[in-house]
Amino acid sequence: MSSYVGANYVPSFLIPVLIVIGTVYWLWKKEMARVPGPRGLPVIGNIPQVIGGRFDHKLQRFRDRYGNIFRVKLGEMTTVFVFGLKNIQDVLLGPEENFEMRPNWLYIPDKVIQKKGIIWTNGEMWQRMRDITTTTQTSPDSSQHTEKQTMAEVNHVVDLLNKGSESDGSGVDPNSLFSSSTFNILSAFVFGQRFDVTEKDYSLLKDGIADITERNKTQNPVNMFPSLGACMKRKRDEAIVKENDLFVILKKYLISHENRCCHGNASLDLMDTFIQQKEHGKETDQETENNFLRSILDLYIYGSEMTTSLLLWTIVYLVRYPDVQRKCQEEMDSVVGDRDVSSNDKANGSLPYCVAVLKEILRISSPAVMTTLHTNKKSSIVDGYMISGRSLVVCDLHKPRFDDTIWEDPFEFRPERFFSQLSETQERVASLSFGLGPRCCPARKLSDTTHFLYSMNLIRHFHIQHHDKNIQIPLTSDYKGVSLKPRPFRVVFKPRGFPGSRG
């Protein structure tokens, strides 16, 4: 009798064993792919673990425990946080631009902002708004006009500081000064003119934008608990009215531009660019105009805050390292003499040390901590974890700038690191505060130019010192609004008194 067992013969016990093994393996794979994160309470999730300030520090503790990819549940919002340069690049520069969308179904973007503007639109409308912004920044005519208006603002500030140079030595808090200046520089980019701070429209716009910035924060409870929306109808309607009031002011300037704009004239600002595209039949409907007006508000909300923070950090480091400040002044004195520093001085490489200093300040003290919320069109695996489609995803922009596998002694302030040729990775990380990929900062060129012109011309005119020479200016910071800011400090602007100065 043959001992051969036919292929059709399978022991009865083997089938359930295989099913059990297959199920365990499937569950194990699913668990391995599940994004880890802290346990939360029913309904409110992890809110008790993150309230109380320094959200960025609390995220770092989660990262230490759960790794570079983890989730945090804030009410009904579950957000996936992505750390590590490779993972960040996989998300922001990944194939098919899977994560380029904004989750504008959240309550505030949907019901209040109504999916308008350059931040919360998606698809073709977002691309239109981005193209208008990019075109204005790259146009030679508008770039020259914006620089001229920027220098008018800088010289106005220099005059103010010169008048106050005989004060009691207690110094000034530069925050409000820089906030007004960056607002005016953005106004020059948008309208082609800066405001006098006594003008009514200046106050209405600045105060109104500050108000809607506070109302429309992503961390707003109604985003975390959309079911509260029915109870917050009055506040929602108030926020919409506030935005519409600002639209009325912006619309007035748009009409003024249309009345003076002649076909074929050079575009000098953002509104000119919009009108010229409208004349060419590219922008015609009311929806596009409303998106354009909301995009202007977005530029103010994000651009003014971030640039103000960057200028404050610049002052902190120039005061903390007086030798660096002195070397910048000596380089400018030898190159520009008694004229203003211009963007050409940066473009032609005649101020290499000054440029290196500003790059190092941007690297070591970037005001950007995390990206704005992204979402993905379809499920994607990042670092072995499955991020399901339509997730809320935020990428870290802070830690790679201190990665010792990318930078030598990353915590040291060392402008000289930018004298040599950087690797592709270093170049990318050095400007990571502007983001990566399609959704990177749409006004990067304007921010770079403002940072250079404002900072260099300010220290060309002044020795800047801490108000108390016996105390080192601190590097402590607070995460407020949309940026990481140094804590309040006071400095003294002492006129240098060189030939041709405004002192």
Side-chain angles (χ1 to χ4, degrees), residues 91-105:
V91 169
L92 301 182
L93 301 175
E96 302 178 10
E97 299 177 344
N98 189 34
F99 287 89
E100 77 167 23
M101 307 289 283
R102 297 289 191 207
N104 56 14
W105 62 80

Side-chain angles (χ1 to χ4, degrees), residues 356-375:
V357 167
L358 296 188
K359 285 183 176 181
E360 177 68 346
I361 289 171
L362 180 64
R363 182 197 69 83
I364 203 168
S365 63
S366 167
V369 177
M370 310 292 291
T371 62
T372 306
L373 284 169
H374 287 250
T375 190

Side-chain angles (χ1 to χ4, degrees), residues 10-24:
V10 178
S12 59
F13 71 86
L14 190 57
I15 293 176
V17 168
L18 291 173
I19 291 174
V20 170
I21 292 173
T23 302
V24 170

Side-chain angles (χ1 to χ4, degrees), residues 8-72:
N8 292 329
Y9 174 76
V10 178
S12 59
F13 71 86
L14 190 57
I15 293 176
V17 168
L18 291 173
I19 291 174
V20 170
I21 292 173
T23 302
V24 170
Y25 178 76
W26 178 79
L27 290 172
W28 176 78
K29 289 286 287 184
K30 183 178 180 181
E31 182 63 24
M32 289 296 289
R34 180 173 175 268
V35 176
R39 289 186 178 182
L41 297 173
V43 183
I44 63 175
N46 305 116
I47 290 177
Q49 295 159 274
V50 299
I51 59 175
R54 290 319 306 251
F55 184 60
D56 53 323
H57 285 189
K58 290 167 183 175
L59 289 180
Q60 181 57 44
R61 288 201 291 269
F62 290 147
R63 183 195 182 193
D64 293 340
R65 180 171 181 180
Y66 299 105
N68 282 333
I69 311 281
F70 60 86
R71 56 172 173 76
V72 176

Side-chain angles (χ1 to χ4, degrees), residues 200-415:
K200 183 179 180 181
D201 283 350
Y202 170 83
S203 298
L204 290 174
L205 280 172
K206 200 167 190 304
D207 294 344
I209 289 167
D211 181 75
I212 65 171
T213 300
E214 186 62 31
R215 290 174 182 268
N216 294 354
K217 285 182 177 178
T218 305
Q219 301 92 340
N220 193 299
V222 76
N223 274 340
M224 303 178 190
F225 301 98
S227 53
L228 294 176
C231 305
M232 302 183 71
K233 186 176 183 299
R234 182 178 62 83
K235 287 190 174 183
R236 181 198 70 190
D237 292 343
E238 286 177 357
I240 292 174
V241 168
K242 290 279 187 181
E243 289 210 8
N244 288 336
D245 288 344
L246 294 177
F247 281 6
V248 170
I249 299 173
L250 298 178
K251 178 68 175 178
K252 178 181 70 174
Y253 284 93
L254 185 60
I255 291 172
S256 175
H257 273 64
E258 288 174 336
N259 290 338
R260 68 169 174 77
C261 185
C262 298
H263 182 71
N265 282 1
S267 172
L268 299 182
D269 53 57
L270 194 70
M271 286 193 166
D272 282 348
T273 303
F274 177 78
I275 292 167
Q276 287 193 359
Q277 292 202 4
K278 184 176 179 180
E279 287 179 346
H280 286 86
K282 294 182 180 179
E283 316 295 345
T284 56
D285 56 20
Q286 187 61 45
E287 180 187 6
T288 303
E289 184 174 292
N290 288 337
N291 270 286
F292 174 67
L293 297 178
R294 174 64 210 195
S295 295
I296 292 174
L297 298 185
D298 287 339
L299 289 173
Y300 276 115
I301 291 168
Y302 290 88
S304 183
E305 173 77 14
M306 296 296 285
T307 305
T308 296
S309 297
L310 182 55
L311 290 173
L312 289 171
W313 281 117
T314 300
I315 296 301
V316 166
Y317 276 90
L318 289 173
V319 170
R320 193 174 178 91
Y321 296 90
D323 286 347
V324 170
Q325 183 179 164
R326 176 182 53 77
K327 288 179 183 178
C328 286
Q329 290 167 336
E330 289 174 351
E331 184 176 70
M332 283 186 285
D333 289 348
S334 66
V335 172
V336 306
D338 60 359
R339 65 171 172 82
D340 290 330
V341 178
S342 73
S343 59
N344 287 334
D345 295 311
K346 180 181 180 181
N348 63 24
S350 62
L351 296 174
Y353 186 78
C354 293
V355 171
V357 167
L358 296 188
K359 285 183 176 181
E360 177 68 346
I361 289 171
L362 180 64
R363 182 197 69 83
I364 203 168
S365 63
S366 167
V369 177
M370 310 292 291
T371 62
T372 306
L373 284 169
H374 287 250
T375 190
N376 46 337
K377 293 173 277 190
K378 58 185 180 181
S379 297
S380 181
I381 295 178
V382 180
D383 199 22
Y385 295 110
M386 176 67 73
I387 300 178
S388 57
R390 286 173 63 87
S391 292
L392 304 179
V393 181
V394 174
C395 293
D396 166 58
L397 299 177
H398 186 73
K399 300 303 178 184
R401 296 181 289 107
F402 300 97
D403 187 337
D404 58 13
T405 66
I406 299 173
W407 307 101
E408 182 180 352
D409 300 321
F411 290 94
E412 289 188 14
F413 181 67
R414 189 188 297 172

